[in-house]
Amino acid sequence: MMRIWGICLLLASVQALPTKHLNHNATEEQEQEQELEEETSHWNGDINLQYIQRIESYMQPEQDACHDFHAYACGNWKSVHGNVSTMSLSGSHIDQRYVHLFERLLREPQASEHRLPMFPKLLRYYQSCLALDKPRLRHYLDHLPPRSTDHWMELLAILGRYGHHEHYIRITVAHHNASRHIIFMQAHVHELKMTLTPNIYFALRRHLDGDLPSLPDLRQQFKQLDATLYRLSQSESINSEEENFKTYTLNQLQQELPGLNWTHALQLKFNATYDGQHQVQVDELPQLRQLIDFLNQADARLLRLYSLSRFLQYLLQLPHNPLNNLVNNRAPSSVECVQHMRKTLYLGMNYAYEHIYYAKQRATDERIIFRVFEELKAQFSKQLRLNEFGLDANLLSALQQKVSGMAINIGNMPHNASEQFFREREQLWQATGDFYLNHFKSLLEYNAHQAEMERTTNATLKQLFYSFSYHGPSMQDNIDATPYFYCVSNIIIMPYAYVQLPFYHAQFWPALLYGDLGNTLGHEMLHTLDSFFVDFDAQGVQRDYGDQLRRYRQYVAGIECLNSTANITLNERTADFSGTRLALHTYLQTPMQRRQHGRLYFLQFAQFFCGQEADESHDEGSVRLNYTLSQMPEFAEVFNCTQGTPMNPVERCRFW
Ligand SMILES: [Zn+2]
């Protein structure tokens, strides 16, 4: 149950974006940007008619909509865009806008933005990235602070400040619920192993002035260590009574695991003093005990070499580290530097985007999007009150509270943060001409901030930081490309990439507006009751609502029905099914409305799924679109589908 929050974000995104789509080269990006600009300049006149022409260009009207609606609505997509999804196009547009901004500021040293918070440091960081010519991994190691002892925990704690904590013992700060962070401890992550590449080896050798075993010897030693760590962190051999994760005070932990000085370890890692009553959560305590006993008597030098190598491997595996291009003898492009900065300087980069691009449309967007959001919420509450599953009053009331308490954040910025707030945050990090140092400072700042959130009693700070989802440097791209439900805070996050064409425009006719925005919000809202996230209450605390629901026959029948044809994850299917149903019941209520607006509404809904490939939590776009709409009798009505055709089956599922 506990491990659910770890995947909370990844599984919640409405549609994932394979990273490779964001990695195409600069020329492609520029062409796309030009294309987009040309389009938007046309669209200033009559956006809706222009946009409908575009939808038509993707259609294959000779296909039978009642047989395969995806082929009918998206049949021509690939001949126009190749294997690129709508999400990728939208994500590239955001990257290009950053490049335009930074290039303009470099050309215009007198521009007013140079006097705003964040901008000068962002620009310096950008330049340091563009200036990279050769990969010098050793610079990372040379920038590490000196250590006072040779103990494995000291180095581990230091590396942890940069967000690396995958080996030996994992000590992290996790966002726990809507108002709390917590320190979390776990054994060595045994799925990850050390691959000692020549680049890492030579960086290490230079850092240690040549004092190192040969590459094959060291590889062999690491391999043995990996195997031992793997064995010790496995759970099979251990009494299952003790396996579950638990909350301990530091005093209790010290008694259970006396092999380490825990107060000192946390002091080293988080640069703060924790008293004996401070609470931490621990998973796999018996494995931790075994690991600590082993590490305390192992060869200290080997442990150190392994830690440093794992650290370099971690840095190189962070999404969009530009050094990976250099390893292949290619200097990073401006787009690649921007992609890297969007990961590692999340707050600063979003601040810049808001200021330059989004602020001027925010008030209008909020008026429109919040209105649609409230309409959907009211409809959702109404449906829940019908209580089709016959739930008991307490459970129904708890689910109602989740729905009514759900918030939305457009752009994913701290809510109502002042200019002063950004000036203060800016003081906490530095940018120089040295890329390696800059990268380090940004990692330190993010991780120090997480630790601060766990300790702070500052109500203003808490209010700001619990109003959005602060992405770390290892966050996957898809999280910034599509709206998602953030379960611990009960918030729907709508990234900048969504609030633009083709998904959304403030002047869209209602059929176009609800066709995407209504369905997307509906999908995200239904994640609150999907088979994973239903267990989080309105404050993000884990409960047993899922277990309670499974006592109701009709609920179980609904789940089994949705799960009866192959799909990648049930929670995405339930959000597709029920979210689409919710949007339909909110917007297309009467037969007259369906006759007048139904076709355009469903065609706009389809745009989202054109060119979409499957990923670890979502089926392919064609499967999702066709399955979901075949479950909606309103679709068959609008397209006059004969009963028994694939899009108008005789039997349908019943769910939320
Ligand atoms: Zn989803």
Side-chain angles (χ1 to χ4, degrees):
M1 180 120 130
M2 176 53 204
R3 290 186 193 160
I4 286 177
W5 58 253
I7 50 171
C8 158
L9 269 173
L10 288 174
L11 287 174
S13 89
V14 65
Q15 183 179 32
L17 167 67
T19 314
K20 62 176 192 268
H21 287 158
L22 284 177
N23 288 339
H24 37 198
N25 63 41
T27 326
E28 267 178 87
E29 301 277 2
Q30 278 153 7
E31 279 167 12
Q32 278 168 11
E33 173 68 4
Q34 216 168 6
E35 191 187 314
L36 263 159
E37 276 184 354
E38 280 165 15
E39 278 170 356
T40 39
S41 65
H42 288 272
W43 286 353
N44 289 337
D46 193 341
I47 284 155
N48 292 285
L49 293 178
Q50 293 281 341
Y51 182 71
I52 290 166
Q53 276 183 12
R54 183 193 235 211
I55 290 181
E56 283 171 345
S57 75
Y58 301 142
M59 289 174 67
Q60 271 184 2
E62 65 276 19
Q63 300 275 352
D64 182 356
C66 296
H67 182 78
D68 179 347
F69 186 60
H70 189 269
Y72 174 83
C74 302
N76 260 346
W77 174 272
K78 282 200 174 168
S79 64
V80 180
H81 291 293
N83 282 328
V84 178
S85 71
T86 330
M87 287 300 149
S88 308
L89 292 174
S90 185
S92 310
H93 187 218
I94 303 282
D95 292 337
Q96 276 298 338
R97 285 183 140 186
Y98 279 112
V99 172
H100 285 191
L101 168 66
F102 292 146
E103 292 299 326
R104 175 172 67 79
L105 293 182
L106 288 176
R107 284 193 310 271
E108 299 173 6
Q110 300 306 320
S112 60
E113 288 88 351
H114 291 284
R115 293 184 290 281
L116 288 169
M118 307 286 184
F119 282 82
K121 288 183 182 174
L122 291 175
L123 208 55
R124 221 167 296 150
Y125 198 117
Y126 176 69
Q127 286 177 290
S128 78
C129 175
L130 284 181
L132 284 167
D133 52 1
K134 279 186 201 153
R136 295 183 173 88
L137 286 184
R138 174 209 162 149
H139 286 255
Y140 279 132
L141 300 180
D142 294 348
H143 284 310
L144 284 173
R147 289 169 303 127
S148 52
T149 72
D150 215 18
H151 194 278
W152 59 271
M153 178 41 96
E154 183 178 344
L155 180 56
L156 192 70
I158 289 174
L159 303 181
R161 295 178 198 164
Y162 303 87
H164 173 59
H165 26 56
E166 265 91 38
H167 73 283
Y168 301 159
I169 288 176
R170 181 183 167 88
I171 305 176
T172 51
V173 173
H175 190 171
H176 186 58
N177 63 38
S179 56
R180 192 180 173 196
H181 277 60
I182 198 157
I183 294 177
F184 187 58
M185 300 183 185
Q186 222 180 342
H188 181 85
V189 181
H190 51 72
E191 294 84 4
L192 292 169
K193 296 208 176 344
M194 180 63 220
T195 306
L196 187 60
T197 61
N199 282 314
I200 292 177
Y201 176 79
F202 290 116
L204 205 57
R205 201 170 73 173
R206 275 181 223 116
H207 175 67
L208 299 170
D209 294 326
D211 182 16
L212 207 61
S214 71
L215 176 60
D217 283 354
L218 195 56
R219 267 191 188 143
Q220 188 54 33
Q221 289 174 35
F222 282 178
K223 203 174 154 190
Q224 278 169 5
L225 182 57
D226 263 336
T228 308
L229 293 168
Y230 178 80
R231 181 170 52 76
L232 296 175
S233 55
Q234 289 284 70
S235 54
E236 275 80 20
S237 59
I238 288 172
N239 177 4
S240 63
E241 292 284 293
E242 259 194 301
E243 256 183 67
N244 291 334
F245 107 120
K246 269 192 195 158
T247 303
Y248 294 86
T249 64
L250 269 187
N251 284 342
Q252 289 166 335
L253 188 68
Q254 193 60 58
Q255 278 183 352
E256 293 284 343
L257 303 173
L260 265 189
N261 179 338
W262 288 96
T263 312
H264 184 58
L266 295 191
Q267 160 92 48
L268 281 173
K269 173 146 174 143
F270 298 123
N271 198 20
T273 307
Y274 296 83
D275 68 40
Q277 295 311 307
H278 199 91
Q279 288 191 333
V280 297
Q281 288 194 327
V282 183
D283 195 13
E284 303 159 341
L285 188 123
Q287 286 95 318
L288 287 182
R289 189 180 291 129
Q290 289 187 163
L291 282 162
I292 291 167
D293 290 346
F294 164 74
L295 292 163
N296 280 347
Q297 52 74 42
D299 173 4
R301 181 172 160 77
L302 178 65
L303 295 186
R304 180 179 166 221
L305 294 176
Y306 182 82
S307 281
L308 292 173
S309 304
R310 284 290 298 250
F311 181 57
L312 289 179
Q313 180 172 267
Y314 150 78
L315 291 168
L316 286 173
Q317 285 176 355
L318 282 172
H320 300 295
N321 186 334
L323 296 188
N324 284 316
N325 303 326
L326 293 168
V327 170
N328 300 318
N329 290 320
R330 194 166 65 76
S333 70
S334 45
V335 165
E336 284 158 347
C337 287
V338 157
Q339 289 172 335
H340 164 75
M341 290 172 69
R342 288 182 67 189
K343 294 291 160 205
T344 202
L345 300 165
Y346 189 79
L347 204 58
M349 289 292 275
N350 273 11
Y351 171 83
Y353 192 87
E354 177 79 22
H355 203 94
I356 299 294
Y357 296 112
Y358 196 66
K360 47 185 175 283
Q361 75 180 76
R362 177 173 283 281
T364 308
D365 283 3
E366 287 191 343
R367 204 177 62 242
I368 296 166
I369 294 169
F370 289 178
R371 192 196 71 219
V372 175
F373 184 58
E374 290 306 323
E375 282 173 12
L376 287 159
K377 255 164 83 164
Q379 178 66 28
F380 196 176
S381 289
K382 200 166 108 188
Q383 275 175 216
L384 271 181
R385 277 198 300 277
L386 295 177
N387 198 11
E388 288 174 3
F389 298 139
L391 309 179
D392 77 59
N394 285 342
L395 181 56
L396 192 64
S397 155
L399 301 182
Q400 282 280 14
Q401 277 177 38
K402 284 188 76 173
V403 174
S404 58
M406 199 183 299
I408 184 166
N409 183 329
I410 305 173
N412 198 23
M413 288 284 280
H415 193 58
N416 286 338
S418 65
E419 202 81 343
Q420 182 58 25
F421 166 80
F422 288 103
R423 290 208 184 276
E424 282 167 15
R425 298 315 298 182
E426 187 194 19
Q427 295 310 311
L428 299 172
W429 62 281
Q430 276 99 43
T432 67
D434 178 345
F435 171 81
Y436 300 88
L437 200 55
N438 289 345
H439 192 192
F440 261 19
K441 296 280 182 196
S442 67
L443 294 173
L444 284 174
E445 209 286 291
Y446 176 78
N447 288 286
H449 168 78
Q450 294 297 103
E452 185 190 353
M453 289 306 290
E454 197 267 338
R455 299 189 299 263
T456 187
T457 51
N458 179 332
T460 317
L461 192 68
K462 277 181 165 241
Q463 205 185 6
L464 282 170
F465 275 103
Y466 288 113
S467 68
F468 80 122
S469 166
Y470 192 0
H471 294 180
S474 51
M475 191 64 79
Q476 295 302 310
D477 284 344
N478 57 338
I479 303 295
D480 267 334
T482 75
Y484 61 91
F485 175 63
Y486 189 44
C487 59
V488 286
S489 288
N490 203 20
I491 301 181
I492 292 174
I493 307 286
M494 188 166 272
Y496 294 121
Y498 182 80
V499 273
Q500 59 182 359
L501 289 167
F503 309 112
Y504 165 84
H505 194 285
Q507 287 167 32
F508 264 172
W509 291 337
L512 294 173
L513 183 72
Y514 286 83
D516 202 301
L517 178 70
N519 276 295
T520 298
L521 283 177
H523 176 106
E524 299 311 332
M525 287 173 92
L526 260 300
H527 269 307
T528 193
L529 300 192
D530 80 14
S531 44
F532 284 149
F533 303 139
V534 71
D535 279 335
F536 292 83
D537 73 11
Q539 281 74 42
V541 178
Q542 280 204 292
R543 308 282 182 187
D544 67 342
Y545 299 152
D547 293 345
Q548 291 188 43
L549 282 168
R550 280 185 283 278
R551 288 179 210 137
Y552 293 90
R553 195 175 45 81
Q554 281 178 303
Y555 176 86
V556 174
I559 290 271
E560 283 173 357
C561 179
L562 288 169
N563 223 2
S564 62
T565 54
N567 69 100
I568 290 176
T569 59
L570 178 64
N571 72 324
E572 285 304 329
R573 176 157 285 183
T574 54
D576 277 347
F577 174 91
S578 300
T580 303
R581 187 165 170 252
L582 175 64
L584 261 173
H585 290 179
T586 306
Y587 172 61
L588 288 180
Q589 288 167 345
T590 66
M592 171 77 101
Q593 286 170 323
R594 292 196 281 276
R595 267 197 301 282
Q596 287 180 342
H597 309 297
R599 282 183 172 252
L600 186 56
Y601 172 87
F602 286 118
L603 280 168
Q604 169 67 348
F605 178 48
Q607 301 309 299
F608 201 86
F609 301 95
C610 294
Q612 186 203 354
E613 290 171 15
D615 61 49
E616 70 277 10
S617 47
H618 300 86
D619 286 312
E620 207 179 313
S622 58
V623 175
R624 287 180 71 190
L625 179 70
N626 287 348
Y627 179 83
T628 306
L629 290 184
S630 72
Q631 291 293 324
M632 307 294 136
E634 294 86 350
F635 174 84
E637 179 195 322
V638 167
F639 283 87
N640 294 318
C641 298
T642 316
Q643 202 179 46
T645 52
M647 298 302 291
N648 189 10
V650 179
E651 298 281 333
R652 290 191 170 87
C653 298
R654 292 175 66 86
F655 201 57
W656 297 115

Coordinates of all heavy atoms in Angstrom, one line a residue, residues 213-249:
P213 N 43.0 0.5 -9.1 CA 43.2 -0.8 -9.8 C 42.9 -0.6 -11.3 O 42.3 0.4 -11.7 CB 42.1 -1.7 -9.1 CG 41.6 -1.0 -7.9 CD 41.9 0.4 -8.1
S214 N 43.2 -1.6 -12.1 CA 42.9 -1.5 -13.5 C 41.4 -1.6 -13.7 O 40.7 -2.0 -12.8 CB 43.6 -2.7 -14.2 OG 42.9 -3.9 -13.9
L215 N 41.0 -1.1 -14.9 CA 39.6 -1.1 -15.2 C 38.9 -2.5 -15.1 O 37.9 -2.6 -14.4 CB 39.3 -0.5 -16.6 CG 37.9 -0.5 -17.1 CD1 37.0 0.3 -16.3 CD2 37.9 0.1 -18.6
P216 N 39.5 -3.5 -15.7 CA 38.9 -4.9 -15.5 C 38.8 -5.3 -14.0 O 37.9 -5.9 -13.6 CB 39.8 -5.8 -16.3 CG 40.5 -4.9 -17.3 CD 40.7 -3.6 -16.6
D217 N 39.9 -5.0 -13.3 CA 39.9 -5.4 -11.9 C 38.8 -4.7 -11.1 O 38.1 -5.3 -10.3 CB 41.3 -5.1 -11.2 CG 42.3 -6.1 -11.6 OD1 42.0 -7.1 -12.3 OD2 43.5 -5.9 -11.3
L218 N 38.7 -3.4 -11.3 CA 37.7 -2.7 -10.6 C 36.3 -3.1 -10.9 O 35.4 -3.2 -10.1 CB 37.9 -1.2 -10.8 CG 37.2 -0.3 -9.8 CD1 37.6 -0.5 -8.4 CD2 37.5 1.2 -10.1
R219 N 36.2 -3.4 -12.2 CA 34.8 -3.9 -12.7 C 34.5 -5.2 -11.9 O 33.4 -5.3 -11.5 CB 34.9 -4.2 -14.2 CG 34.4 -3.0 -15.0 CD 34.2 -3.5 -16.5 NE 34.0 -2.3 -17.3 CZ 34.4 -2.2 -18.5 NH1 35.2 -3.1 -19.1 NH2 34.1 -1.1 -19.2
Q220 N 35.5 -6.0 -11.8 CA 35.2 -7.3 -11.1 C 34.9 -7.1 -9.6 O 34.0 -7.7 -9.1 CB 36.5 -8.2 -11.3 CG 36.4 -9.6 -10.8 CD 35.2 -10.3 -11.4 OE1 34.8 -10.1 -12.6 NE2 34.5 -11.2 -10.7
Q221 N 35.6 -6.2 -9.0 CA 35.3 -5.9 -7.6 C 34.0 -5.3 -7.4 O 33.2 -5.6 -6.5 CB 36.4 -4.9 -7.0 CG 37.8 -5.6 -6.9 CD 38.9 -4.6 -6.5 OE1 38.6 -3.7 -5.7 NE2 40.1 -4.8 -7.0
F222 N 33.6 -4.4 -8.3 CA 32.2 -3.8 -8.2 C 31.2 -4.9 -8.4 O 30.1 -4.8 -7.8 CB 32.1 -2.7 -9.3 CG 32.7 -1.4 -8.9 CD1 32.7 -0.3 -9.8 CD2 33.4 -1.2 -7.7 CE1 33.3 0.9 -9.5 CE2 34.0 0.0 -7.4 CZ 33.9 1.1 -8.3
K223 N 31.5 -5.8 -9.3 CA 30.5 -6.8 -9.6 C 30.2 -7.7 -8.4 O 29.1 -8.0 -8.1 CB 31.0 -7.7 -10.8 CG 29.9 -8.4 -11.5 CD 30.5 -9.2 -12.7 CE 29.7 -10.4 -13.1 NZ 30.3 -11.3 -14.0
Q224 N 31.3 -8.0 -7.7 CA 31.1 -8.8 -6.5 C 30.3 -8.0 -5.4 O 29.5 -8.5 -4.7 CB 32.5 -9.2 -5.9 CG 33.0 -10.4 -6.6 CD 34.5 -10.7 -6.2 OE1 35.1 -10.0 -5.4 NE2 35.1 -11.7 -6.9
L225 N 30.7 -6.7 -5.3 CA 30.0 -5.9 -4.3 C 28.5 -5.8 -4.6 O 27.7 -5.9 -3.8 CB 30.7 -4.5 -4.3 CG 30.1 -3.5 -3.3 CD1 30.2 -4.0 -1.8 CD2 30.9 -2.2 -3.3
D226 N 28.2 -5.5 -5.9 CA 26.8 -5.5 -6.4 C 26.1 -6.7 -6.0 O 25.0 -6.6 -5.5 CB 26.8 -5.4 -7.9 CG 26.6 -3.9 -8.4 OD1 26.1 -3.1 -7.6 OD2 27.0 -3.6 -9.5
A227 N 26.7 -7.9 -6.2 CA 26.1 -9.2 -5.9 C 25.8 -9.3 -4.4 O 24.7 -9.7 -4.0 CB 26.9 -10.3 -6.4
T228 N 26.8 -8.9 -3.6 CA 26.6 -8.9 -2.1 C 25.4 -8.0 -1.7 O 24.6 -8.4 -0.9 CB 27.9 -8.6 -1.4 OG1 28.9 -9.4 -1.9 CG2 27.7 -8.8 0.1
L229 N 25.5 -6.8 -2.2 CA 24.5 -5.8 -1.8 C 23.1 -6.3 -2.2 O 22.1 -6.1 -1.5 CB 24.8 -4.4 -2.4 CG 26.0 -3.7 -1.9 CD1 26.4 -2.5 -2.8 CD2 25.9 -3.3 -0.5
Y230 N 23.0 -6.9 -3.4 CA 21.8 -7.4 -3.9 C 21.2 -8.5 -3.0 O 20.1 -8.5 -2.6 CB 22.0 -8.0 -5.3 CG 20.8 -8.6 -5.9 CD1 19.8 -7.8 -6.5 CD2 20.6 -10.0 -5.9 CE1 18.7 -8.4 -7.1 CE2 19.4 -10.6 -6.4 CZ 18.5 -9.8 -7.0 OH 17.4 -10.3 -7.6
R231 N 22.1 -9.4 -2.6 CA 21.7 -10.5 -1.7 C 21.2 -9.9 -0.3 O 20.1 -10.3 0.1 CB 22.9 -11.4 -1.5 CG 22.6 -12.6 -0.6 CD 23.8 -13.7 -0.6 NE 25.1 -13.1 -0.4 CZ 25.5 -12.7 0.9 NH1 24.7 -12.9 1.9 NH2 26.7 -12.2 1.0
L232 N 21.9 -9.0 0.2 CA 21.6 -8.5 1.5 C 20.3 -7.6 1.5 O 19.6 -7.5 2.5 CB 22.7 -7.6 2.1 CG 24.0 -8.4 2.4 CD1 25.1 -7.5 2.8 CD2 23.8 -9.5 3.4
S233 N 20.0 -7.0 0.3 CA 18.8 -6.2 0.3 C 17.6 -6.9 -0.2 O 16.5 -6.3 -0.3 CB 19.1 -4.9 -0.6 OG 19.5 -5.4 -1.9
Q234 N 17.7 -8.2 -0.5 CA 16.6 -9.0 -0.9 C 15.8 -9.4 0.4 O 16.3 -9.5 1.4 CB 17.0 -10.3 -1.5 CG 17.6 -10.1 -2.9 CD 16.5 -9.9 -3.9 OE1 15.9 -8.8 -4.0 NE2 16.3 -10.8 -4.8
S235 N 14.5 -9.6 0.2 CA 13.7 -9.8 1.4 C 13.4 -11.3 1.7 O 13.0 -11.6 2.8 CB 12.4 -9.0 1.3 OG 11.7 -9.4 0.1
E236 N 13.6 -12.2 0.7 CA 13.1 -13.6 0.9 C 13.6 -14.2 2.2 O 12.8 -14.9 2.8 CB 13.6 -14.5 -0.3 CG 12.7 -14.4 -1.5 CD 13.0 -13.2 -2.4 OE1 14.1 -12.6 -2.2 OE2 12.2 -12.8 -3.1
S237 N 14.8 -14.0 2.5 CA 15.4 -14.8 3.6 C 15.0 -14.2 5.0 O 15.3 -14.7 6.0 CB 16.9 -14.7 3.5 OG 17.3 -13.4 3.6
I238 N 14.1 -13.2 4.9 CA 13.9 -12.5 6.2 C 12.5 -12.7 6.7 O 11.5 -12.8 5.9 CB 14.2 -11.0 6.0 CG1 15.7 -10.8 5.8 CG2 13.6 -10.1 7.1 CD1 16.1 -9.4 5.4
N239 N 12.3 -12.8 8.0 CA 11.1 -13.0 8.7 C 10.1 -11.9 8.2 O 10.3 -10.7 8.4 CB 11.4 -12.9 10.2 CG 10.1 -12.9 11.0 OD1 9.0 -13.2 10.4 ND2 10.2 -12.8 12.3
S240 N 9.0 -12.3 7.6 CA 8.0 -11.4 7.0 C 7.4 -10.5 8.1 O 6.9 -9.4 7.7 CB 7.0 -12.1 6.2 OG 6.2 -12.9 7.0
E241 N 7.4 -10.9 9.3 CA 6.7 -10.1 10.4 C 7.3 -8.7 10.4 O 6.6 -7.7 10.6 CB 7.0 -10.7 11.8 CG 6.4 -12.1 12.0 CD 4.9 -11.9 12.3 OE1 4.6 -11.3 13.4 OE2 4.1 -12.3 11.4
E242 N 8.6 -8.6 10.2 CA 9.3 -7.4 10.4 C 9.4 -6.5 9.1 O 10.0 -5.5 9.1 CB 10.8 -7.7 10.8 CG 11.0 -7.5 12.3 CD 12.5 -7.5 12.7 OE1 13.1 -8.4 12.4 OE2 12.9 -6.5 13.2
E243 N 8.9 -7.1 8.0 CA 9.2 -6.5 6.7 C 8.5 -5.2 6.4 O 9.0 -4.3 5.7 CB 8.7 -7.4 5.6 CG 9.8 -8.2 4.9 CD 9.3 -9.0 3.8 OE1 8.8 -8.4 2.8 OE2 9.4 -10.2 3.9
N244 N 7.3 -5.0 7.0 CA 6.5 -3.8 6.6 C 7.2 -2.5 7.0 O 7.9 -2.4 8.0 CB 5.1 -3.9 7.1 CG 4.4 -5.0 6.5 OD1 4.7 -5.3 5.3 ND2 3.4 -5.6 7.2
F245 N 6.8 -1.5 6.3 CA 7.4 -0.2 6.7 C 6.7 0.4 7.9 O 5.5 0.1 8.1 CB 7.3 0.7 5.4 CG 6.3 1.7 5.4 CD1 6.7 3.0 5.3 CD2 4.9 1.5 5.6 CE1 5.7 4.0 5.3 CE2 4.0 2.5 5.6 CZ 4.4 3.8 5.5
K246 N 7.4 1.1 8.7 CA 6.9 1.6 10.0 C 7.5 3.0 10.3 O 8.5 3.4 9.7 CB 7.4 0.7 11.1 CG 6.5 -0.5 11.4 CD 7.1 -1.1 12.7 CE 6.5 -2.5 13.0 NZ 7.4 -3.2 13.9
T247 N 6.8 3.7 11.2 CA 7.3 4.9 11.7 C 8.1 4.7 13.0 O 7.6 4.0 13.9 CB 6.1 5.9 11.9 OG1 5.4 6.0 10.7 CG2 6.6 7.3 12.3
Y248 N 9.2 5.3 13.1 CA 10.1 5.2 14.3 C 10.5 6.6 14.7 O 10.6 7.5 13.9 CB 11.4 4.4 14.0 CG 11.2 3.0 13.7 CD1 10.9 2.6 12.3 CD2 11.3 2.0 14.6 CE1 10.8 1.2 12.0 CE2 11.2 0.6 14.3 CZ 10.9 0.3 13.0 OH 10.8 -1.0 12.7
T249 N 10.7 6.8 16.0 CA 11.4 8.0 16.4 C 12.9 7.7 16.2 O 13.3 6.5 16.1 CB 11.2 8.3 17.9 OG1 11.8 7.2 18.7 CG2 9.7 8.5 18.2

